[in-house]
Amino acid sequence: MVSLLPWRQAGSISELTGESLRRRGVRVLLADLDNTLVRYSDQEPSAALTEWLADLTAHGVTLFLLSNSRKPARAAHFAQALGVDYLDHAGKPKTGGFAWALARCGARAEDCAMVGDQVFTDVLGANLAGVRAILVEPIRLAGNPGRYLRYWAELPARLLSRKRTWDREEEG
Ligand SMILES: [Mg+2]
């Protein structure tokens, strides 16, 4: 049975520095968009997001947007604003989008990680695809009651993996 538990947990993407990713052998970081990199209500990347990406780039880590967004052109807009490649309607947790992204980046699954805020799409999909999953806290749950319900359903996976923090050094 495929696990719902992430490889690592972090409070937010700001913990995932370029140096710390490279030290763990992550050359390509697949990233969910909504509530991971930006709020659902955001229309443009924040300055903090742009600076975070610059640090990744400086350390040779490639960012790839792997989004399930069905809003027309939303992922494309952020990808263009950030200067990165993307796939929307990625269909996570199905693995087709992961395979497409890896091929596009010319990367092996073991050289990648996937960061996202949802267990049943981002983490499960990454685990099915053989990509290390990094679970972050959603940026903002308010605005949609369904997000609270989903977060509640995710709690067992979050609790069972709560010691797998990003700053934990052992096992790489
Ligand atoms: Mg999300």
Side-chain angles (χ1 to χ4, degrees):
M1 174 157 166
V2 174
S3 173
L4 287 169
L5 304 189
W7 168 58
R8 287 286 189 275
Q9 281 196 37
S12 76
I13 58 162
S14 64
E15 292 178 35
L16 312 178
T17 63
E19 189 278 328
S20 66
L21 287 161
R22 281 310 292 257
R23 183 151 38 87
R24 291 166 173 83
V26 177
R27 294 179 51 246
V28 173
L29 183 64
L30 309 175
D32 172 57
L33 178 63
D34 286 311
N35 247 354
T36 297
L37 300 183
V38 302
R39 297 181 190 87
Y40 280 96
S41 56
D42 286 344
Q43 302 301 323
E44 299 295 335
S46 67
L49 176 58
T50 304
E51 285 171 25
W52 174 77
L53 174 58
D55 173 64
L56 261 59
T57 305
H59 286 85
V61 178
T62 299
L63 184 73
F64 185 102
L65 294 188
L66 191 65
S67 172
N68 271 6
S69 181
R70 294 182 174 279
K71 286 190 183 172
R74 178 167 171 80
H77 173 75
F78 277 100
Q80 186 175 30
L82 292 168
V84 301
D85 206 351
Y86 77 101
L87 177 65
D88 60 3
H89 300 217
K92 296 171 288 186
K94 286 184 275 188
T95 58
F98 287 85
W100 192 89
L102 294 186
R104 184 95 167 171
C105 295
R108 303 174 306 169
E110 53 265 45
D111 297 324
C112 299
M114 167 82 208
V115 60
D117 70 297
Q118 287 186 41
V119 169
F120 298 104
T121 53
D122 302 316
V123 172
L124 178 57
N127 287 345
L128 287 168
V131 171
R132 291 170 286 180
I134 305 166
L135 180 64
V136 292
E137 292 294 311
I139 297 175
R140 187 173 180 270
L141 285 174
N144 181 337
R147 285 179 214 150
Y148 288 101
L149 193 62
R150 191 168 65 209
Y151 191 82
W152 179 82
E154 291 173 342
L155 268 180
R158 291 183 185 275
L159 289 172
L160 285 168
S161 61
R162 68 188 180 282
K163 290 182 178 166
R164 301 181 182 182
T165 55
W166 184 248
D167 57 10
R168 180 177 156 178
E169 288 294 335
E170 63 265 40
E171 75 179 79

